[in-house]
Amino acid sequence: MASPSDTQGASAVSGVPEVIHRRRWAILVVLMLSVLVVVLDNSILNVAMKTIASPKPTGLGAGQSQLEWAINSYTLVFAGLLFTAGLLGDRLGRKKVLLSGMVIFGIGSVLAAYSSTPGELIGYRALMGLGAALVMPATLAILVNVFERDEQPKAIGIWTAAVGLGIAIGPITGGVLLERFWWGSVFFVNVPVVIIALIAMSLLVPDSKDPAPGRLDPGGVLLSVVGLVLLVYGIIKGGQLADFSDAKVLGTIAGGLAILVLFVVYEKRSDHPAIDVSYFRKPAFSAAIAAIALVFFALMGVTFFMVFYIQSVRGYSALESGLLILPLAVAQLIFAPRTRLVVERFGVRAVCAGGMLLVAGTMAGFTLLGVDTPLVVMEVLFFFQGAGMAHIMPPVTLTVMQTLPRQKAGSGSALNNTFRQVGGALGVAVLGSVLSATYRNGIKDTLAAVPGLPDSARHAAGESVEATLGLAEKLGPKGQALVGPAHDAFVHAMHITALGSAAVALFGALVVVAFLPGKAAAEGEPGGDRPRESAGAGAER
């Protein structure tokens, strides 16, 4: 262990003030609170979806497409504004932006809790996404600026474990709240966490900024948000109609892709781009970003349907659902802080590829789940999926952050989170639409056989398993004939969706093997070519 004098000397060389260096672990704990509240919100929402889909007054009567938008309005705003938020932190000070983001997130949580319609919930979730966009880049950028390079793998591993903690306590907290309070309590619970975090951040977290920040790029931000919204809207609409050949669906998707291509061209020609595409010339950086996007694409899509499998098909409560998902988070808590030791032995490429293959295997393993499969099968799959995630996220996050100069930490953090959110949003949209379309095709003959059912009611009942079971409940004893076919149709749709997730994770493994550095390059990558910052530069951070 280094002596105090050694530590002080190291701090002086890198430019981290000694007073900040001494309280770096306390700062990390405070930063984990901000990560916790953002992740907690999404994991709580997962177990609350069935309740929100229930008719008033129990829920809001939201349809499956509205539930997808309740998730994606948050993630699209989050992803679309992350890079601008990172630049704001670099320019104005990361602590100021972090505190502002927490305040906005707290206000959005209160408003979401008291939404009276699915549309209001979607809008207030977008406001929460704005707050989260300000929080996340600042959090990781501050972390990189208070820890030395040799301690960053450990710090980022612990920071990543906070995600696992949020995944662990979110569903359980949501289940407890839903059993005792109204559905909006799953959002209102964010408020005390936000208040505690604001006080602790004000007292402990240092401010930092880039001495040469980039200019803001409103044109690029607008193009990226519009392109993503059109793309995701078209995908969700195709799943809702169970017809991706519909002219409106194809036109919307094509329009979104065209605007995203225009965005890339615009960014390449801009002298102050929202996303500096030159970063992607480094293969390790590009592979790490791709791995983040692909693994969250697969994970978010699976999380979306597993809640309905556990609650709607297997009949467990929200609290029991949260407890059943617990192994996924426990594995992340166990393995994420220790991943750096595995990387030191085997290298980033081998560890991340192994994690991707493990995630792909567990995704494919969900095809073993049926209407009455023993729960131990699902618990084992969740645990190994969490272990796979724990061996992907810390090393790829570290690769992204250490490939760029420390003063560009806000930009690196923003890119890391942008592609994670875009991957997650597209995963929910694409895999949710596959689930919806497959389910509708599987249940349509059963619904067509129900006598006297209007076409509009038949279409609405075919949108999701929850909608079909709602119709069965309304029909009384006659509706019991719908329950078994609805469960079977959903399980079949779940299997198809799980195989799609597995294919995405396998592709991610190929990307990792092809482009991430192996063990022999560990000392030179990532970031081996970047200059060491001088003490003078550190004073401006």
Side-chain angles (χ1 to χ4, degrees):
M1 179 179 294
S3 66
S5 60
D6 292 337
T7 302
Q8 186 170 2
S11 298
V13 169
S14 68
V16 178
E18 177 62 21
V19 65
I20 294 174
H21 184 75
R22 283 200 305 267
R23 65 175 192 245
R24 64 196 185 283
W25 297 109
I27 293 170
L28 176 60
V29 172
V30 174
L31 294 176
M32 287 170 65
L33 277 177
S34 64
V35 177
L36 182 63
V37 74
V38 171
V39 176
L40 184 72
D41 175 74
N42 269 337
S43 58
I44 283 181
L45 180 60
N46 285 334
V47 299
M49 286 191 295
K50 181 179 182 295
T51 305
I52 295 172
S54 302
K56 293 181 179 181
T58 303
L60 292 176
Q64 180 157 315
S65 60
Q66 291 172 319
L67 290 174
E68 290 179 40
W69 275 113
I71 296 171
N72 282 337
S73 64
Y74 175 91
T75 53
L76 287 175
V77 172
F78 192 174
L81 297 179
L82 268 169
F83 207 83
T84 296
L87 288 175
L88 283 174
D90 291 344
R91 177 181 291 273
L92 303 177
R94 290 155 189 152
K95 180 176 181 178
K96 298 181 185 71
V97 171
L98 176 62
L99 293 174
S100 300
M102 292 296 286
V103 170
I104 293 171
F105 189 88
I107 292 172
S109 298
V110 174
L111 293 173
Y114 291 98
S115 301
S116 58
T117 66
E120 286 185 6
L121 177 61
I122 291 168
Y124 294 139
R125 286 277 296 163
L127 180 62
M128 294 171 67
L130 169 60
L134 295 171
V135 167
M136 290 300 284
T139 300
L140 198 51
I142 291 170
L143 183 154
V144 172
N145 276 275
V146 299
F147 281 92
E148 299 302 335
R149 183 179 173 83
D150 59 341
E151 286 187 323
Q152 286 175 13
K154 182 178 181 180
I156 289 178
I158 295 171
W159 181 85
T160 305
V163 175
L165 182 62
I167 294 173
I169 67 175
I172 298 172
T173 305
V176 171
L177 291 170
L178 290 171
E179 287 196 350
R180 290 167 172 76
F181 304 103
W182 91 114
W183 66 267
S185 61
V186 300
F187 298 109
F188 198 81
V189 72
N190 293 332
V191 177
V193 182
V194 167
I195 292 172
I196 293 170
L198 284 171
I199 295 171
M201 289 171 184
S202 299
L203 296 175
L204 289 174
V205 174
D207 205 356
S208 63
K209 62 176 66 174
D210 186 348
R215 291 163 55 195
L216 300 182
D217 180 20
V221 171
L222 181 62
L223 286 173
S224 64
V225 172
V226 172
L228 284 171
V229 169
L230 286 176
L231 177 61
V232 170
Y233 177 81
I235 294 169
I236 292 176
K237 192 66 176 177
Q240 186 181 6
L241 297 175
D243 182 10
F244 284 90
S245 63
D246 183 274
K248 292 182 179 178
V249 172
L250 289 175
T252 306
I253 293 175
L257 289 173
I259 292 176
L260 289 176
V261 170
L262 179 61
F263 165 73
V264 173
V265 173
Y266 177 87
E267 294 301 283
K268 289 181 68 175
R269 295 181 177 180
S270 175
D271 59 355
H272 57 286
I275 294 179
D276 190 344
V277 294
S278 66
Y279 294 157
F280 292 90
R281 293 173 184 164
K282 297 184 178 183
F285 180 88
S286 296
I289 287 290
I292 290 168
L294 291 169
V295 76
F296 269 86
F297 181 103
L299 183 68
M300 289 296 290
V302 167
T303 303
F304 185 79
F305 72 66
M306 283 306 298
V307 172
F308 287 98
Y309 170 73
I310 295 171
Q311 295 185 37
S312 299
V313 176
R314 301 303 296 264
Y316 291 98
S317 68
L319 176 57
E320 290 168 334
S321 175
L323 291 170
L324 288 171
I325 297 174
L326 192 59
L328 176 71
V330 170
Q332 291 193 52
L333 284 170
I334 292 172
F335 293 109
R338 297 170 174 82
T339 302
R340 62 187 176 85
L341 303 176
V342 186
V343 171
E344 287 174 4
R345 181 170 182 179
F346 298 104
V348 173
R349 179 195 297 163
V351 173
C352 289
M356 280 288 191
L357 290 174
L358 191 54
V359 169
T362 56
M363 296 293 183
F366 285 128
T367 59
L368 300 173
L369 301 179
V371 178
D372 54 2
T373 305
L375 288 179
V376 65
V377 176
M378 183 175 69
E379 299 303 277
V380 171
L381 289 171
F382 275 145
F383 183 84
F384 280 102
Q385 189 171 82
M389 289 290 296
H391 287 85
I392 298 168
M393 296 313 298
V396 295
T397 300
L398 186 66
T399 298
V400 170
M401 297 307 295
Q402 290 194 341
T403 300
L404 304 180
R406 178 179 275 180
Q407 65 267 26
K408 298 298 181 184
S411 300
S413 175
L415 279 167
N416 176 73
N417 285 289
T418 294
F419 280 83
R420 186 178 70 181
Q421 294 301 321
V422 169
L426 290 176
V428 171
V430 174
L431 297 177
S433 295
V434 170
L435 180 76
S436 180
T438 308
Y439 177 79
R440 186 182 290 281
N441 287 330
I443 199 68
K444 65 180 181 180
D445 292 339
T446 302
L447 291 173
V450 178
L453 190 65
D455 288 342
S456 59
R458 185 179 295 111
H459 183 84
E463 185 176 347
S464 67
V465 64
E466 193 60 31
T468 307
L469 295 177
L471 174 65
E473 187 176 348
K474 287 181 181 178
L475 293 176
K478 294 181 180 180
Q480 288 304 305
L482 294 174
V483 175
H487 289 170
D488 291 338
F490 181 84
V491 168
H492 173 68
M494 180 181 77
H495 290 168
I496 298 298
T497 309
L499 289 175
S501 299
V504 171
L506 278 175
F507 179 69
L510 292 175
V511 171
V512 164
V513 169
F515 298 108
L516 276 186
K519 186 180 179 183
E523 294 190 5
E525 294 285 352
D529 57 347
R530 79 177 182 180
R532 185 171 179 87
E533 293 84 14
S534 65
E540 290 297 324
R541 296 174 308 175

